[in-house]
Amino acid sequence: MTLAPWKNFLQITMKRILQQRRLSLYNGAHGYEEELIKKKLQQFSGGSINLSKEDNGIAILTLNNPKLMNAFTGTMMLELQERVTELENWKDGKGLIIHGAGNTFCSGSDLNVVKQISNSQDGMNMCMFMQNTLTRLMRLPLFSVALVQGKAFGGGAELTTACDFRLMTPGSEIRFVHKHMGLVPGWGGGARLVRIVGSGAALQLLGGAARVDPERALSLGLSEHTLPSSDETSALGEARAWLSQYTDGPATVIRAVKKVVTAGRELPLEAALRTEKDIFGTVWGGPANLQALVRRPKHK
Ligand SMILES: CC[C@@H](C(=O)O)C(=O)SCCNC(=O)CCNC(=O)[C@H](O)C(C)(C)COP(=O)(O)OP(=O)(O)OC[C@H]1O[C@@H](n2cnc3c(N)ncnc32)[C@H](O)[C@@H]1OP(=O)(O)O
């Protein structure tokens, strides 16, 4: 009898671990050594990744290392993974806004850390660690927005591409500076950029380490909208208001929409169609569907 709560706890924990593995890209079979890189990243501390979940189903994720323009230290990479796990377990979530403290987005990896892990083994493990985390972020069943204020450089630019939408404030800039660092994107930002802007534009942005201001981002389809305010607090309010056009309504339906789109984007057609059928089954005859049938709204 007394073992039951433990059994339950173990079952839930196992389920979560299996879910994380399923949503991740790399495991031991790919030569990925997660525990090793976690231990390494733990040595480079500073800054934090803060998550606040609101009753309205919107969460705010803050990259908080303003002294270094919110560059990612080792512990921030680890914290990002923890926050993504928290969001995966948040069943009421409908939307997420990612922004940086101090009115700037993120200047990529902390170059002090990059120098310390510049050997091949650490580099590959860090790359797989961040791709796993950002892939899980991209697959969250909620609508995610990168609110780009100030600069989104290097890994910061890559992080914006793991969100469903990008909103920019006047004077802000997205820049894949990797070429100037003798690198290419490694956090999955190259592959995602091609899917967002197409291969020609991606070649221009990566090959020229080009500055992308809000106007150019809009014309490339890299950004959805330029917010009117560059002030930190006002811009966050405007981003919330913009996001609410997609997050107003029941969480079950909003999460189902995102799941259908994720399947359509990532799976071959037949598998995507079958997944869509399964997701359809979760909303058909559900409370929101039945209420709408009673209301019989006219969609004018
Ligand atoms: C795999 C690595 C790759 C990836 O993951 O994809 C990367 O991300 S590599 C990192 C790529 N990013 C950069 O190279 C950015 C370098 N920084 C800059 O170009 C500029 O600092 C800036 C971001 C354009 C801001 O310029 P400015 O507004 O003039 O401020 P400062 O330069 O004075 O910066 C303030 C302070 O912050 C430090 N800083 C900024 N970015 C980083 C960083 N990525 N790593 C470590 N430190 C960073 C900067 O050095 C200043 O510190 P102090 O010199 O001590 O004042």
Side-chain angles (χ1 to χ4, degrees), residues 67-69 71 107-111 153-155 158 177-178 181 187:
K67 267 197 308 202
L68 301 186
M69 312 293 284
S107 63
S109 301
D110 178 346
L111 291 168
F153 277 21
E158 295 194 62
V177 295
H178 304 76
M181 301 299 298
W187 294 2

Side-chain angles (χ1 to χ4, degrees), residues 220-284:
L220 288 171
L222 182 57
S223 151
E224 270 61 39
H225 181 61
T226 306
L227 298 171
S229 301
S230 42
D231 161 73
E232 190 173 4
T233 315
S234 313
L236 188 55
E238 287 160 7
R240 280 174 200 276
W242 185 90
L243 182 58
S244 69
Q245 67 185 304
Y246 302 112
T247 54
D248 278 352
T252 43
V253 179
I254 288 151
R255 291 167 71 85
V257 170
K258 174 68 186 282
K259 286 178 192 170
V260 164
V261 172
T262 301
R265 181 183 58 212
E266 297 197 3
L267 299 174
L269 183 61
E270 287 191 9
L273 290 171
R274 287 194 196 99
T275 305
E276 184 171 314
K277 183 262 296 166
D278 292 342
I279 299 164
F280 176 75
T282 67
V283 288
W284 175 260

Side-chain angles (χ1 to χ4, degrees), residues 8-25:
N8 201 14
F9 172 76
L10 278 175
Q11 274 173 348
I12 292 172
T13 309
M14 278 307 290
K15 207 172 142 195
R16 283 192 181 151
I17 291 171
L18 287 173
Q19 186 200 22
Q20 280 169 27
R21 288 225 180 116
R22 191 166 46 80
L23 292 167
S24 297
L25 278 178

